[in-house]
Amino acid sequence: MNPDLCELLANDGFLRCYLTNMEGIPVDAPTCEELQQQGGRENIEVLLPGGEQAMLQIVRIKSEGYVVIEVGDEDSLCISDPIPFCFVETLILCAPDGTTVSCEVMEFECQPCVNCRDGEFESLDIQFNVCLSVQTEADVVIEVEAGFCQPREPITPPSCDFSVPNQCPPLFPLGREAQGVDKGDEEKCNTDVVKPKTLARTRLQESACVSVAKVYDWVIQQKTLERTIDAADINFMCNPCEIHLFVPADIVCDRFLSGKVVCGDVDEIEGAEVTFSAEPAIVDFVPDSVFTDDYGNFEVEAIIDAVTEPTPVVITATTVVNGEMIQTSLPTIVECLDDPCSIELFAPAEISCEGFVSGRVQCNGRLIEGVTVTLESSNPAIITFTPNPVVTDSLGDYFAGVTLEDETPPQTITITASATVEGQPVSNSVDVFVECDRPC
Protein backbone atom coordinates (compact mmCIF):
# COMPACT_ATOMS: atom_id res chain seq x y z
CA MET A 1 0.00 0.00 0.00
CA ASN A 2 1.38 3.38 -0.98
CA PRO A 3 1.93 6.09 1.66
CA ASP A 4 0.04 9.36 1.71
CA LEU A 5 1.89 11.11 -1.11
CA CYS A 6 -0.87 13.65 -1.57
CA GLU A 7 -0.51 14.87 2.02
CA LEU A 8 3.24 15.32 1.53
CA LEU A 9 2.68 17.45 -1.58
CA ALA A 10 -0.09 19.44 0.08
CA ASN A 11 2.38 20.42 2.84
CA ASP A 12 4.80 22.15 0.46
CA GLY A 13 6.52 18.89 -0.41
CA PHE A 14 8.71 18.33 -3.47
CA LEU A 15 8.33 16.01 -6.45
CA ARG A 16 11.22 15.03 -8.72
CA CYS A 17 12.18 12.45 -11.31
CA TYR A 18 15.59 11.15 -12.41
CA LEU A 19 17.03 8.52 -14.74
CA THR A 20 18.37 5.24 -13.26
CA ASN A 21 19.24 1.68 -14.17
CA MET A 22 17.05 -1.27 -13.19
CA GLU A 23 18.60 -1.26 -9.67
CA GLY A 24 17.65 2.38 -9.12
CA ILE A 25 21.22 3.71 -9.43
CA PRO A 26 21.34 7.06 -11.30
CA VAL A 27 22.78 6.98 -14.84
CA ASP A 28 23.56 9.66 -17.41
CA ALA A 29 21.46 8.56 -20.40
CA PRO A 30 19.03 5.83 -21.48
CA THR A 31 20.01 3.25 -24.06
CA CYS A 32 19.42 4.10 -27.70
CA GLU A 33 19.78 1.71 -30.64
CA GLU A 34 18.28 0.69 -33.95
CA LEU A 35 15.39 -1.73 -33.71
CA GLN A 36 16.19 -4.49 -36.15
CA GLN A 37 13.45 -5.31 -38.64
CA GLN A 38 12.75 -8.70 -40.13
CA GLY A 39 13.99 -8.69 -43.72
CA GLY A 40 16.05 -5.57 -43.19
CA ARG A 41 15.17 -1.91 -43.57
CA GLU A 42 12.15 -1.09 -45.65
CA ASN A 43 12.69 1.11 -48.73
CA ILE A 44 10.40 4.03 -49.33
CA GLU A 45 10.30 6.46 -52.26
CA VAL A 46 9.92 10.07 -51.19
CA LEU A 47 9.66 13.42 -52.91
CA LEU A 48 12.45 15.76 -51.84
CA PRO A 49 11.85 19.50 -51.33
CA GLY A 50 13.64 20.17 -54.62
CA GLY A 51 11.11 18.07 -56.51
CA GLU A 52 13.36 15.03 -57.02
CA GLN A 53 12.37 11.47 -56.21
CA ALA A 54 14.69 9.57 -53.83
CA MET A 55 14.77 6.05 -52.47
CA LEU A 56 15.27 6.21 -48.69
CA GLN A 57 14.86 3.73 -45.85
CA ILE A 58 12.61 3.41 -42.81
CA VAL A 59 14.66 3.21 -39.60
CA ARG A 60 13.16 2.46 -36.21
CA ILE A 61 15.00 3.69 -33.11
CA LYS A 62 14.33 2.22 -29.66
CA SER A 63 15.24 4.08 -26.49
CA GLU A 64 14.60 2.59 -23.06
CA GLY A 65 15.58 2.90 -19.43
CA TYR A 66 14.20 3.46 -15.94
CA VAL A 67 13.20 6.47 -13.87
CA VAL A 68 12.69 6.90 -10.12
CA ILE A 69 10.18 9.29 -8.59
CA GLU A 70 10.83 10.99 -5.24
CA VAL A 71 8.17 12.67 -3.11
CA GLY A 72 9.06 14.26 0.19
CA ASP A 73 9.28 17.19 2.56
CA GLU A 74 11.64 18.26 5.32
CA ASP A 75 10.88 15.20 7.46
CA SER A 76 9.99 12.39 5.06
CA LEU A 77 11.16 10.96 1.76
CA CYS A 78 9.29 8.47 -0.43
CA ILE A 79 11.11 6.78 -3.32
CA SER A 80 9.46 4.72 -6.02
CA ASP A 81 10.70 1.44 -7.41
CA PRO A 82 12.49 1.91 -10.77
CA ILE A 83 9.80 2.54 -13.41
CA PRO A 84 10.66 1.15 -16.86
CA PHE A 85 9.97 3.08 -20.05
CA CYS A 86 10.49 2.28 -23.72
CA PHE A 87 9.56 4.17 -26.86
CA VAL A 88 10.16 3.59 -30.58
CA GLU A 89 10.71 6.42 -33.06
CA THR A 90 10.30 5.86 -36.79
CA LEU A 91 12.59 7.91 -39.04
CA ILE A 92 13.08 8.14 -42.80
CA LEU A 93 16.82 8.25 -43.50
CA CYS A 94 19.36 7.55 -46.18
CA ALA A 95 20.40 4.17 -44.78
CA PRO A 96 21.20 1.74 -47.63
CA ASP A 97 22.53 -1.76 -47.05
CA GLY A 98 26.02 -1.68 -45.59
CA THR A 99 25.44 1.36 -43.40
CA THR A 100 25.12 1.32 -39.63
CA VAL A 101 22.90 3.49 -37.46
CA SER A 102 24.35 5.24 -34.41
CA CYS A 103 22.04 6.86 -31.89
CA GLU A 104 22.75 9.18 -28.96
CA VAL A 105 20.36 10.70 -26.42
CA MET A 106 21.56 14.31 -26.31
CA GLU A 107 19.01 15.49 -23.75
CA PHE A 108 16.63 13.67 -21.41
CA GLU A 109 14.09 15.10 -19.00
CA CYS A 110 11.19 13.60 -17.09
CA GLN A 111 8.43 15.58 -15.39
CA PRO A 112 6.19 13.70 -12.92
CA CYS A 113 2.71 14.63 -11.74
CA VAL A 114 0.86 12.95 -8.87
CA ASN A 115 -2.90 12.78 -9.43
CA CYS A 116 -4.98 12.96 -6.26
CA ARG A 117 -8.75 12.76 -5.73
CA ASP A 118 -10.21 13.66 -2.33
CA GLY A 119 -6.69 13.48 -0.90
CA GLU A 120 -6.09 9.93 -2.17
CA PHE A 121 -3.27 8.99 -4.56
CA GLU A 122 -4.87 7.71 -7.78
CA SER A 123 -2.23 7.74 -10.52
CA LEU A 124 1.08 9.10 -11.66
CA ASP A 125 1.70 10.93 -14.94
CA ILE A 126 5.25 11.12 -16.34
CA GLN A 127 6.14 13.32 -19.30
CA PHE A 128 9.37 12.42 -21.12
CA ASN A 129 11.24 15.00 -23.21
CA VAL A 130 13.92 13.34 -25.32
CA CYS A 131 16.34 14.73 -27.91
CA LEU A 132 17.83 12.08 -30.20
CA SER A 133 20.83 12.42 -32.52
CA VAL A 134 20.72 9.70 -35.20
CA GLN A 135 23.37 9.15 -37.87
CA THR A 136 23.78 6.58 -40.63
CA GLU A 137 27.38 5.94 -41.55
CA ALA A 138 29.79 3.46 -43.11
CA ASP A 139 33.55 3.02 -43.16
CA VAL A 140 35.11 4.23 -46.41
CA VAL A 141 38.64 4.76 -47.69
CA ILE A 142 39.47 8.21 -49.05
CA GLU A 143 42.51 9.57 -50.85
CA VAL A 144 44.04 12.84 -49.74
CA GLU A 145 46.98 14.84 -51.01
CA ALA A 146 49.49 15.21 -48.18
CA GLY A 147 52.69 17.18 -47.87
CA PHE A 148 55.68 16.35 -45.70
CA CYS A 149 56.00 18.57 -42.66
CA GLN A 150 59.42 20.19 -42.53
CA PRO A 151 61.19 21.84 -39.59
CA ARG A 152 62.01 25.54 -39.59
CA GLU A 153 65.59 26.73 -39.58
CA PRO A 154 67.02 26.42 -36.06
CA ILE A 155 67.86 29.56 -34.16
CA THR A 156 71.13 27.93 -33.07
CA PRO A 157 72.66 25.80 -35.86
CA PRO A 158 72.81 22.14 -34.84
CA SER A 159 76.09 20.43 -34.35
CA CYS A 160 75.16 17.62 -36.74
CA ASP A 161 73.55 17.35 -40.17
CA PHE A 162 70.01 16.08 -40.68
CA SER A 163 69.80 13.00 -42.92
CA VAL A 164 66.91 12.42 -45.31
CA PRO A 165 66.47 8.93 -46.81
CA ASN A 166 66.34 8.50 -50.58
CA GLN A 167 62.88 8.68 -52.19
CA CYS A 168 63.01 5.19 -53.83
CA PRO A 169 64.41 6.15 -57.31
CA PRO A 170 62.51 3.35 -59.15
CA LEU A 171 59.21 4.88 -57.99
CA PHE A 172 60.31 8.55 -58.08
CA PRO A 173 62.84 8.83 -60.98
CA LEU A 174 63.01 12.62 -60.75
CA GLY A 175 66.18 14.58 -60.49
CA ARG A 176 67.42 16.35 -57.44
CA GLU A 177 65.89 19.62 -58.72
CA ALA A 178 62.38 18.12 -58.33
CA GLN A 179 63.23 17.18 -54.77
CA GLY A 180 63.99 20.78 -53.88
CA VAL A 181 67.83 20.65 -54.01
CA ASP A 182 69.61 23.19 -56.20
CA LYS A 183 72.44 22.00 -58.37
CA GLY A 184 74.52 24.71 -56.81
CA ASP A 185 74.31 22.88 -53.55
CA GLU A 186 76.02 19.75 -54.91
CA GLU A 187 79.34 20.90 -53.55
CA LYS A 188 77.89 21.69 -50.13
CA CYS A 189 76.36 18.30 -49.30
CA ASN A 190 76.67 14.70 -50.39
CA THR A 191 73.85 12.57 -51.78
CA ASP A 192 72.65 11.43 -48.37
CA VAL A 193 72.85 14.59 -46.27
CA VAL A 194 70.81 17.77 -46.63
CA LYS A 195 71.57 20.82 -44.52
CA PRO A 196 68.73 22.14 -42.36
CA LYS A 197 68.37 25.23 -44.54
CA THR A 198 67.84 23.11 -47.68
CA LEU A 199 65.42 20.80 -45.80
CA ALA A 200 63.17 23.71 -44.90
CA ARG A 201 62.70 24.47 -48.63
CA THR A 202 61.83 20.85 -49.55
CA ARG A 203 58.16 20.32 -50.47
CA LEU A 204 57.18 16.81 -51.56
CA GLN A 205 53.56 15.80 -52.17
CA GLU A 206 52.20 12.29 -51.82
CA SER A 207 48.79 10.65 -51.84
CA ALA A 208 47.60 9.03 -48.59
CA CYS A 209 44.72 6.57 -48.15
CA VAL A 210 42.77 7.04 -44.92
CA SER A 211 39.90 4.98 -43.51
CA VAL A 212 37.15 7.21 -42.11
CA ALA A 213 33.46 7.00 -41.23
CA LYS A 214 31.33 8.57 -43.95
CA VAL A 215 28.05 10.07 -42.72
CA TYR A 216 25.18 9.28 -45.09
CA ASP A 217 22.44 11.02 -43.11
CA TRP A 218 22.02 12.79 -39.79
CA VAL A 219 18.91 14.05 -38.03
CA ILE A 220 18.16 15.44 -34.58
CA GLN A 221 14.70 14.53 -33.34
CA GLN A 222 12.89 16.09 -30.38
CA LYS A 223 10.19 13.89 -28.89
CA THR A 224 7.69 14.36 -26.06
CA LEU A 225 5.93 11.30 -24.64
CA GLU A 226 3.59 10.73 -21.71
CA ARG A 227 2.84 7.70 -19.57
CA THR A 228 0.16 7.23 -16.91
CA ILE A 229 0.57 4.63 -14.16
CA ASP A 230 -2.19 3.61 -11.77
CA ALA A 231 -1.43 3.86 -8.06
CA ALA A 232 -1.87 0.08 -7.73
CA ASP A 233 0.92 -0.51 -10.29
CA ILE A 234 3.62 1.54 -8.60
CA ASN A 235 5.27 1.03 -5.24
CA PHE A 236 6.75 3.78 -3.06
CA MET A 237 9.00 3.17 -0.07
CA CYS A 238 9.01 5.96 2.48
CA ASN A 239 12.07 6.73 4.56
CA PRO A 240 14.03 3.86 2.95
CA CYS A 241 16.91 2.63 5.07
CA GLU A 242 20.41 2.42 3.65
CA ILE A 243 24.05 2.12 4.62
CA HIS A 244 26.37 4.97 3.73
CA LEU A 245 29.78 3.27 3.48
CA PHE A 246 33.01 5.22 3.03
CA VAL A 247 35.85 3.20 1.47
CA PRO A 248 39.08 4.79 0.15
CA ALA A 249 40.20 4.04 -3.41
CA ASP A 250 43.31 2.27 -2.08
CA ILE A 251 43.92 0.46 1.21
CA VAL A 252 47.55 -0.22 2.16
CA CYS A 253 48.02 -2.83 4.91
CA ASP A 254 45.33 -1.44 7.25
CA ARG A 255 42.75 1.33 7.29
CA PHE A 256 39.74 2.32 9.35
CA LEU A 257 36.49 2.32 7.36
CA SER A 258 33.47 4.33 8.47
CA GLY A 259 29.82 4.64 7.61
CA LYS A 260 26.33 5.49 8.72
CA VAL A 261 22.93 3.76 8.82
CA VAL A 262 20.02 6.07 8.08
CA CYS A 263 16.43 5.85 6.94
CA GLY A 264 15.39 8.50 4.45
CA ASP A 265 18.46 10.64 5.23
CA VAL A 266 16.56 12.01 8.23
CA ASP A 267 16.32 9.13 10.73
CA GLU A 268 19.69 8.00 12.12
CA ILE A 269 19.52 4.38 13.27
CA GLU A 270 21.10 3.62 16.64
CA GLY A 271 22.18 0.11 17.68
CA ALA A 272 22.10 -1.49 14.24
CA GLU A 273 24.59 -4.37 13.91
CA VAL A 274 26.76 -4.04 10.82
CA THR A 275 28.78 -6.95 9.42
CA PHE A 276 31.43 -6.84 6.71
CA SER A 277 32.75 -9.06 3.93
CA ALA A 278 35.20 -8.80 1.04
CA GLU A 279 35.34 -10.47 -2.34
CA PRO A 280 37.89 -11.98 -2.75
CA ALA A 281 38.14 -12.76 0.96
CA ILE A 282 41.64 -11.33 1.55
CA VAL A 283 40.60 -8.60 4.01
CA ASP A 284 40.13 -9.15 7.77
CA PHE A 285 37.72 -6.89 9.65
CA VAL A 286 38.30 -6.07 13.33
CA PRO A 287 35.92 -6.52 15.04
CA ASP A 288 33.79 -8.94 12.99
CA SER A 289 30.71 -6.76 13.53
CA VAL A 290 30.03 -3.33 14.99
CA PHE A 291 26.98 -1.49 16.33
CA THR A 292 26.00 2.03 15.29
CA ASP A 293 26.21 4.81 17.86
CA ASP A 294 23.56 7.38 18.85
CA TYR A 295 23.94 9.07 15.46
CA GLY A 296 23.96 5.94 13.31
CA ASN A 297 27.73 6.03 12.78
CA PHE A 298 30.04 3.02 12.78
CA GLU A 299 33.75 2.30 12.28
CA VAL A 300 35.74 -0.87 11.57
CA GLU A 301 39.39 -1.65 10.86
CA ALA A 302 40.27 -3.39 7.59
CA ILE A 303 43.53 -5.37 7.74
CA ILE A 304 45.37 -6.83 4.74
CA ASP A 305 47.92 -9.63 5.12
CA ALA A 306 51.57 -8.84 4.38
CA VAL A 307 52.97 -9.60 0.93
CA THR A 308 49.64 -8.89 -0.78
CA GLU A 309 50.07 -7.52 -4.29
CA PRO A 310 47.64 -4.76 -5.41
CA THR A 311 44.31 -6.56 -5.83
CA PRO A 312 40.81 -5.28 -6.75
CA VAL A 313 38.37 -6.04 -3.92
CA VAL A 314 34.67 -5.32 -3.31
CA ILE A 315 33.84 -4.56 0.34
CA THR A 316 30.24 -5.06 1.50
CA ALA A 317 28.54 -3.79 4.66
CA THR A 318 25.28 -5.50 5.72
CA THR A 319 22.70 -4.79 8.42
CA VAL A 320 19.04 -5.43 9.23
CA VAL A 321 16.62 -2.58 10.03
CA ASN A 322 12.94 -3.19 10.84
CA GLY A 323 13.27 -6.77 9.65
CA GLU A 324 14.66 -5.75 6.25
CA MET A 325 18.23 -6.60 5.21
CA ILE A 326 20.11 -3.74 3.56
CA GLN A 327 23.67 -3.68 2.25
CA THR A 328 26.10 -1.51 0.33
CA SER A 329 29.12 -2.63 -1.72
CA LEU A 330 32.03 -0.49 -2.88
CA PRO A 331 35.17 -1.38 -4.88
CA THR A 332 38.73 -0.61 -3.79
CA ILE A 333 42.34 -1.75 -4.29
CA VAL A 334 44.10 -3.47 -1.38
CA GLU A 335 47.82 -4.15 -0.99
CA CYS A 336 50.46 -4.74 1.65
CA LEU A 337 53.91 -5.18 0.18
CA ASP A 338 56.64 -6.58 2.43
CA ASP A 339 58.81 -3.44 2.32
CA PRO A 340 60.24 -1.87 5.49
CA CYS A 341 59.73 1.73 6.42
CA SER A 342 62.45 4.08 5.20
CA ILE A 343 63.64 7.64 5.53
CA GLU A 344 65.22 9.62 2.72
CA LEU A 345 67.75 12.42 3.28
CA PHE A 346 68.76 15.01 0.69
CA ALA A 347 71.52 17.62 1.10
CA PRO A 348 73.67 19.68 -1.29
CA ALA A 349 77.20 18.45 -1.95
CA GLU A 350 78.61 21.64 -0.41
CA ILE A 351 77.29 24.04 2.24
CA SER A 352 78.89 27.44 2.79
CA CYS A 353 77.73 29.02 6.07
CA GLU A 354 74.01 28.34 5.43
CA GLY A 355 72.00 25.73 3.59
CA PHE A 356 69.22 23.17 4.08
CA VAL A 357 68.43 19.47 4.20
CA SER A 358 65.19 17.70 3.33
CA GLY A 359 63.75 14.22 3.05
CA ARG A 360 60.72 11.94 3.07
CA VAL A 361 59.39 9.13 5.28
CA GLN A 362 57.37 6.25 3.81
CA CYS A 363 56.27 2.68 4.56
CA ASN A 364 55.18 0.24 1.88
CA GLY A 365 54.79 3.14 -0.51
CA ARG A 366 52.65 5.11 1.98
CA LEU A 367 53.77 8.64 2.74
CA ILE A 368 53.78 8.97 6.55
CA GLU A 369 52.59 12.19 8.17
CA GLY A 370 53.48 13.36 11.68
CA VAL A 371 56.80 11.50 12.10
CA THR A 372 59.38 13.20 14.33
CA VAL A 373 62.76 13.27 12.56
CA THR A 374 65.97 14.02 14.51
CA LEU A 375 68.99 15.51 12.69
CA GLU A 376 72.58 15.00 13.86
CA SER A 377 76.08 15.60 12.50
CA SER A 378 79.48 14.04 13.04
CA ASN A 379 80.73 17.43 14.31
CA PRO A 380 77.88 18.95 16.32
CA ALA A 381 80.05 21.85 17.54
CA ILE A 382 80.04 23.57 14.12
CA ILE A 383 76.50 22.98 12.81
CA THR A 384 72.94 23.81 13.89
CA PHE A 385 69.69 22.44 12.39
CA THR A 386 66.51 24.56 12.55
CA PRO A 387 64.07 23.13 13.51
CA ASN A 388 65.41 20.02 15.18
CA PRO A 389 63.60 17.74 15.57
CA VAL A 390 61.35 18.32 12.55
CA VAL A 391 57.92 16.74 11.87
CA THR A 392 56.84 15.34 8.45
CA ASP A 393 53.92 17.00 6.65
CA SER A 394 50.91 15.40 4.93
CA LEU A 395 53.15 14.17 2.08
CA GLY A 396 55.70 12.63 4.43
CA ASP A 397 58.22 15.39 3.71
CA TYR A 398 60.43 17.26 6.15
CA PHE A 399 62.70 20.31 5.75
CA ALA A 400 65.25 21.97 8.03
CA GLY A 401 67.73 24.83 7.71
CA VAL A 402 71.47 24.37 8.28
CA THR A 403 73.71 27.04 9.89
CA LEU A 404 77.48 26.71 10.28
CA GLU A 405 79.54 28.44 12.95
CA ASP A 406 81.59 31.39 11.74
CA GLU A 407 85.22 30.62 10.82
CA THR A 408 84.43 26.93 10.20
CA PRO A 409 87.41 25.52 8.26
CA PRO A 410 86.79 23.39 5.14
CA GLN A 411 85.94 19.82 6.09
CA THR A 412 83.62 16.91 5.31
CA ILE A 413 80.98 15.98 7.87
CA THR A 414 78.28 13.31 8.02
CA ILE A 415 74.66 14.38 8.51
CA THR A 416 72.22 11.74 9.81
CA ALA A 417 68.39 11.77 9.91
CA SER A 418 66.71 9.23 12.22
CA ALA A 419 63.16 8.45 13.33
CA THR A 420 60.91 5.70 14.64
CA VAL A 421 58.11 4.85 12.21
CA GLU A 422 55.33 2.44 13.17
CA GLY A 423 57.68 0.89 15.73
CA GLN A 424 60.57 0.57 13.25
CA PRO A 425 63.78 2.60 13.79
CA VAL A 426 64.99 4.10 10.50
CA SER A 427 67.94 6.32 9.60
CA ASN A 428 69.88 7.66 6.66
CA SER A 429 73.18 9.58 6.30
CA VAL A 430 74.92 11.76 3.72
CA ASP A 431 78.42 13.28 3.56
CA VAL A 432 78.60 17.04 2.94
CA PHE A 433 81.60 19.34 2.40
CA VAL A 434 81.14 22.41 4.63
CA GLU A 435 83.00 25.67 5.31
CA CYS A 436 82.29 29.19 6.58
CA ASP A 437 85.09 31.74 6.32
CA ARG A 438 82.85 34.48 7.70
CA PRO A 439 84.66 36.11 10.66
CA CYS A 440 83.11 36.13 14.10
Side-chain angles (χ1 to χ4, degrees), residues 358-420:
S358 63
R360 172 173 289 181
V361 177
Q362 56 185 340
C363 297
N364 300 311
R366 292 176 294 131
L367 304 177
I368 308 301
E369 179 183 5
V371 175
T372 300
V373 178
T374 302
L375 298 168
E376 299 174 328
S377 73
S378 56
N379 190 350
I382 65 169
I383 190 168
T384 302
F385 301 100
T386 306
N388 189 22
V390 59
V391 179
T392 58
D393 61 17
S394 60
L395 298 178
D397 296 330
Y398 64 90
F399 180 94
V402 176
T403 304
L404 297 170
E405 293 293 326
D406 295 338
E407 299 182 345
T408 295
Q411 58 187 286
T412 298
I413 65 170
T414 300
I415 297 177
T416 301
S418 59
T420 299

Side-chain angles (χ1 to χ4, degrees), residues 23 58 60 69 137 157 164 171-172 175 181 197 221 228 252 318 352 376 382 386 394 424 440:
E23 285 82 25
I58 297 177
R60 292 181 173 86
I69 310 299
E137 55 188 38
V164 178
L171 298 178
F172 298 89
V181 180
K197 186 174 182 179
Q221 186 83 357
T228 299
V252 180
T318 305
S352 178
E376 299 174 328
I382 65 169
T386 306
S394 60
Q424 303 179 38
C440 293

Side-chain angles (χ1 to χ4, degrees), residues 32-34 59-63 87-89 91 101 103 134:
C32 184
E33 60 184 2
E34 180 183 9
V59 176
R60 292 181 173 86
I61 300 296
K62 180 178 72 172
S63 184
F87 61 86
V88 177
E89 181 73 5
L91 303 173
V101 175
C103 176
V134 183

